[in-house]
Amino acid sequence: MPRDFSMAQTNRQRNIWPANQSSFSRKLLTTQLLLLCGAMAFTHCRNFNWPAEMSEVKTDVPTLPQMAAPSMAPAGGLYISTQNVTITTTPAADAICYSTDGVTTPACTGTTCTSGSSYSAAVSVSANQNLQAIACASGYTASAVASETYTFDLVLPTVLSSTPADAMTNVAPCSGAPCRAAIVLIFSESMNTTLTQTLTTEIFDGASYVSAPDSSPTYTWSTGTFTNDTLTIQVGWYWFPEFSQIRYTLPIAGFQDLAGNFIAAQVQRSFTTTKANQAYPLADTGYTSCHNDAGVTACGDPGWPGQDGDFLNVPAARSFTGPSMHATYNSDFTTVDNVTGLTWKACSEGRSGATCAVGANGTYTWANAISQCSALNAANSGAGYAGINEWRLPTMQEIETLLRFWGSPAVEAVHFPQTAGAAYWSSTARFSSPTNAWRANFSFDPVYYSLKTTAGNIRCVASSTSASRVFSDNGDGTITDNSTNLRWQKCARGKANDATCSGAATTGVWSTALNYCDTLNLGSFGNSNNWRLPNPVELNSLINRAVVAPLVQSGFFPGTTVGDYWTSMPYSTPTGAWALSFSTGYTSGYAKTNPFYTRCVATGP
């Protein structure tokens, strides 16, 4: 049986230690006793009442080590489902005690839990809880209390709003500055921004939605009510096509909140676009000949006055710069229209080089044409073709600015080499018929529409904005187009010059239309040689493709009669001239003897 060294205190009190024992001897004996206590792990040695004179002796009575705090797996955090938490210790504990109520602090002694529950299997945690645990083992003091907090988000994120709104109509093809097509989604909470979104775009063709791939959309998260709750998708098309019912889809896999909850269903929305609010200065056709019924005649012939050839460079001279090679991307060539400010890809799609001699013109369906132009924005490692990332399929109003209505191709070949004398797509669908879209033909019948499934050529344009079309009623029977600096006869020939253009319009052959405008006395201009029959470029500028027939701004040109209207430009045959239909929007060549309507124009505000 171990000896009880606490008797030393009693012996000292009884003077068992000799009174004449030296202080050094007493210190030595005390040190030996301490070493013996340490070696034999007598815990009661700690209670020994050592002599006061021995207080300077350094003691090293051993203490029990503390048990390591328990570990919990999985650790605390944000979860979306029940977690089965295991509690372990190293070394193994004789007892683990835990609590989940956030109030009780677990405690234990030896193998017994004195507070909390005894751990024997994984603890199921399914609500917001603070899990605390403590461990005890023989030969150790109790561990520190470990704590993990578990939070649960069981609510799925939702889309609070989308712009454009679902089923919205009259959506502008672009917005903001620079003007771009964008889709904005706002979610009900902060979202995981590391996931990949995949945008699918389709366009309604009158019977069903047809795939219209968007090759290069960009996705940007921003903060609204919550951090990263707003997703802006910049559409790779750059602009939405005009008069189109568009549907887009984004899959579930791209949208997850911070807890890990995915949205319940894919995001799918549809909307319908309207006309882009744009206007460009007009250039002349560049046609210099004049005709009578038999063929070419000298310009200025009083019997055939006011022809397109009589007004050179009116409203403005045609002017282009290019093809110009980009300073860095030497394979990229562009041509700038100095009148409109539009930048064009010098070559038709499928061709390349300074003279567009490499390759051949590609032809595409309308939906593929939209995607083909937008793909140019990803060229040169994202810098864009010729360093420009605003490429898109042009609107009909834009591609019309290239047409000069004569020759084949009907555009300056020196600036647009290898242009096909054929149809080129615009991004403008036909307002009243979603199966069709508008095209410009650089050979004959230059302005018309056709089925979207038809193959067509492409010339891509780069522009983010333009002036807005603004008309003014001068109150004198004339209307000013402030964007083109043209003054128009408000009421067509034969109609009364009143607020509603009452009465019936009068038809006439081509020579009658020429002479009528040449002698018109109207408004503040009077008859000062300003009034003339408009050329095809000028008359086409009045076409409003956002309405059904008549295709004109009826608020400024009320009572416009549906039918064909003469232009001042002869057709390719001696007996023909160009006319524009405000019923279909077509520009076509007709015999000069046809009875068509007349609306005159003058240059100036």
Side-chain angles (χ1 to χ4, degrees):
M1 179 175 181
R3 185 177 177 183
D4 188 351
F5 284 92
S6 64
M7 291 298 294
Q9 181 179 17
T10 303
N11 290 339
R12 182 177 182 277
Q13 292 170 348
R14 294 176 180 176
N15 294 319
I16 294 176
W17 286 350
N20 61 351
Q21 189 174 18
S22 69
S23 174
F24 174 79
S25 298
R26 292 183 181 183
K27 290 180 181 179
L28 179 60
L29 178 58
T30 302
T31 301
Q32 291 172 339
L33 289 172
L34 287 171
L35 292 173
L36 181 59
C37 282
M40 301 182 69
F42 292 158
T43 58
H44 50 270
C45 286
R46 300 188 198 114
N47 300 321
F48 189 82
N49 189 10
W50 301 101
E53 64 270 27
M54 298 294 104
S55 60
E56 70 272 20
V57 177
K58 303 300 182 182
T59 62
D60 189 17
V61 179
T63 58
L64 293 178
Q66 186 179 31
M67 188 69 179
S71 297
M72 303 179 205
L78 182 62
Y79 293 94
I80 62 174
S81 61
T82 298
Q83 300 298 304
N84 293 315
V85 182
T86 58
I87 307 175
T88 58
T89 61
T90 302
D94 294 331
I96 297 177
C97 309
Y98 72 93
S99 67
T100 59
D101 60 9
V103 176
T104 303
T105 300
C108 60
T109 300
T111 61
T112 303
C113 290
T114 59
S115 178
S117 302
S118 178
Y119 174 80
S120 59
V123 180
S124 178
V125 181
S126 59
N128 295 346
Q129 290 178 333
N130 177 249
L131 179 57
Q132 299 183 79
I134 192 171
C136 288
S138 178
Y140 293 86
T141 60
S143 72
V145 175
S147 177
E148 294 284 355
T149 299
Y150 296 84
T151 304
F152 290 84
D153 180 355
L154 305 180
V155 179
L156 304 184
T158 59
V159 178
L160 296 180
S161 67
S162 58
T163 304
D166 193 23
M168 185 175 180
T169 58
N170 294 320
V171 174
C174 67
S175 60
C179 205
R180 284 209 62 176
I183 296 168
V184 180
L185 302 176
I186 299 178
F187 290 85
S188 57
E189 56 183 299
S190 297
M191 300 295 286
N192 179 357
T193 62
T194 65
L195 302 184
T196 299
Q197 280 74 40
T198 304
L199 177 69
T200 300
T201 46
E202 303 165 288
I203 299 177
F204 191 67
D205 70 352
S208 61
Y209 280 98
V210 176
S211 176
D214 184 350
S215 60
S216 54
T218 59
Y219 307 89
T220 304
W221 287 97
S222 59
T223 296
T225 303
F226 306 100
T227 301
N228 292 328
D229 64 350
T230 302
L231 177 64
T232 300
I233 305 172
Q234 297 280 6
V235 178
W237 297 334
Y238 209 82
W239 285 12
F240 295 125
E242 294 182 311
F243 311 123
S244 298
Q245 185 175 330
I246 299 168
R247 183 172 73 182
Y248 67 89
T249 305
L250 293 154
I252 294 173
F255 299 105
Q256 182 187 54
D257 65 16
L258 298 183
N261 295 301
F262 285 93
I263 56 176
Q266 66 182 9
V267 178
Q268 187 173 82
R269 303 285 188 272
S270 64
F271 56 90
T272 304
T273 60
T274 186
K275 182 181 184 296
N277 186 15
Q278 57 181 175
Y280 297 98
L282 301 181
D284 189 26
T285 64
Y287 195 70
T288 58
S289 296
C290 295
H291 289 215
N292 55 26
D293 278 343
V296 177
T297 186
C299 289
D301 185 338
W304 302 87
Q307 296 186 41
D308 189 28
D310 287 314
F311 294 90
L312 299 180
N313 300 329
V314 176
R318 293 172 67 85
S319 175
F320 299 95
T321 301
S324 301
M325 182 179 70
H326 191 270
T328 302
Y329 309 114
N330 302 142
S331 298
D332 298 353
F333 293 85
T334 56
T335 296
V336 174
D337 185 334
N338 299 314
V339 176
T340 64
L342 293 171
T343 298
W344 296 90
K345 189 167 181 272
C347 300
S348 304
E349 285 303 287
R351 290 185 174 273
S352 61
T355 60
C356 306
V358 179
N361 284 15
T363 56
Y364 309 82
T365 64
W366 182 71
N368 288 335
I370 294 171
S371 302
Q372 187 70 20
C373 283
S374 67
L376 295 176
N377 295 317
N380 298 315
S381 300
Y385 182 88
I388 300 171
N389 54 16
E390 297 177 348
W391 294 104
R392 54 184 172 80
L393 192 65
T395 65
M396 191 60 194
Q397 186 173 345
E398 289 169 330
I399 199 166
E400 278 179 325
T401 64
L402 296 183
L403 286 170
R404 61 184 183 183
F405 291 87
W406 61 274
S408 183
V411 69
E412 287 78 354
V414 65
H415 299 297
F416 299 95
Q418 303 295 330
T419 296
Y424 281 70
W425 282 117
S426 79
S427 63
T428 305
R430 189 183 178 206
F431 175 77
S432 59
S433 176
T435 60
N436 295 289
W438 289 92
R439 321 208 290 184
N441 194 310
F442 286 83
S443 180
F444 62 90
D445 287 345
V447 179
Y448 68 107
Y449 54 81
S450 63
L451 290 172
K452 294 176 179 177
T453 53
T454 306
N457 294 274
I458 306 174
R459 187 177 304 283
C460 303
V461 71
S463 170
S464 60
T465 187
S466 71
S468 298
R469 172 60 52 83
V470 178
F471 288 102
S472 299
D473 191 328
N474 301 310
D476 60 359
T478 66
I479 302 293
T480 296
D481 183 342
N482 297 283
S483 57
T484 62
N485 195 38
L486 294 178
R487 181 178 290 212
W488 290 93
Q489 181 184 16
K490 179 176 180 177
C491 305
R493 173 177 175 245
K495 284 182 168 287
N497 186 26
D498 55 27
T500 61
C501 297
S502 59
T506 304
T507 61
V509 298
W510 188 58
S511 61
T512 299
L514 289 172
N515 281 280
Y516 169 77
C517 289
D518 185 60
T519 58
L520 181 64
N521 188 338
L522 180 66
S524 59
F525 275 23
N527 185 18
S528 57
N529 296 321
N530 281 309
W531 291 107
R532 53 189 167 79
L533 195 62
N535 67 32
V537 172
E538 293 167 327
L539 193 56
N540 260 284
S541 72
L542 290 185
I543 288 289
N544 177 16
R545 294 186 174 86
V547 295
V548 295
L551 305 181
V552 70
Q553 297 271 15
S554 296
F556 291 98
F557 301 97
T560 295
T561 303
V562 173
D564 292 286
Y565 287 69
W566 283 119
T567 78
S568 62
M569 185 175 179
Y571 188 51
S572 57
T573 63
T575 58
W578 291 106
L580 171 62
S581 170
F582 280 89
S583 173
T584 64
Y586 277 29
T587 302
S588 302
Y590 294 94
K592 297 172 183 174
T593 54
N594 275 290
F596 290 156
Y597 299 105
T598 302
R599 173 172 273 123
C600 307
V601 72
T603 303

